[in-house]
Amino acid sequence: MKAIILGTLLAICASTAADAQSFNASTRINTFTTSALKATLAELGATTEDRDGVPNMTVRFSNGLVADALLVACEDQATSTNCLGTSILASFATPKDATPEQVREGINEYNYRQNFGRAYLSPTGTIQVRLYVIADGGITMENYRQMIGLFAHSAAKLPGYIVG
């Protein structure tokens, strides 16, 4: 009986260790996994927080930017299995003293000057910047890290474009 319990525990530990992934710049990603995303974010100095009941996670970048990350275009969206896309979304409150024209001009200027995310005004009036990365054909973890890092750097600048 002890051997069965010990064997079961070893199998569980082995599968958990296999699910975890560490960052390796040259590793080729053909489909995104939660563990590859978390390893890449950790390499950037970001922290993640899983959310109950949804595949989204909250990301806190080292520069203070907070965003939502989600693997998309998945074979099974609920379990984030065989995903071809990564979506990272940062949301900003519209400054109370900014006119709608200032917000539109700021978003346009941001989109003109910054190239690592697309800013827009959501239907609810929230200013958002989104990065979408695709794995079609495969990318390296280093390329994934660079894209996400450039997005975090760029998106943190967005409030400076909205003058109020």
Side-chain angles (χ1 to χ4, degrees), residues 12-123:
I12 290 170
C13 290
S15 71
T16 302
D19 291 342
Q21 183 172 352
S22 58
F23 183 85
N24 180 332
S26 62
T27 295
R28 185 175 181 84
I29 299 171
N30 292 310
T31 59
F32 294 116
T33 63
T34 301
S35 61
L37 176 59
K38 286 182 176 183
T40 302
L41 290 166
E43 183 70 14
L44 287 166
T47 60
T48 60
E49 181 181 328
D50 292 331
R51 296 203 199 136
D52 291 333
V54 295
N56 306 48
M57 69 181 82
T58 300
V59 180
R60 288 178 174 73
F61 290 95
S62 59
N63 65 357
L65 181 71
V66 177
D68 178 81
L70 176 66
L71 298 180
V72 293
C74 303
E75 184 177 287
D76 182 356
Q77 191 64 49
T79 61
S80 300
T81 303
N82 292 327
C83 301
L84 295 175
T86 299
S87 175
I88 301 181
L89 178 70
S91 299
F92 302 87
T94 302
K96 294 188 186 321
D97 58 344
T99 67
E101 183 62 24
Q102 288 172 316
V103 172
R104 279 192 302 277
E105 287 176 4
I107 289 172
N108 285 341
E109 186 70 14
Y110 173 86
N111 285 331
Y112 178 73
R113 304 243 177 245
Q114 301 295 320
N115 298 305
F116 301 101
R118 182 179 60 88
Y120 55 90
L121 193 60
S122 77

Side-chain angles (χ1 to χ4, degrees), residues 110-111 114-119 129-132 150-151 154:
Y110 173 86
N111 285 331
Q114 301 295 320
N115 298 305
F116 301 101
R118 182 179 60 88
V129 181
R130 182 181 307 273
L131 170 70
Y132 188 74
L150 289 167
F151 167 78
S154 175

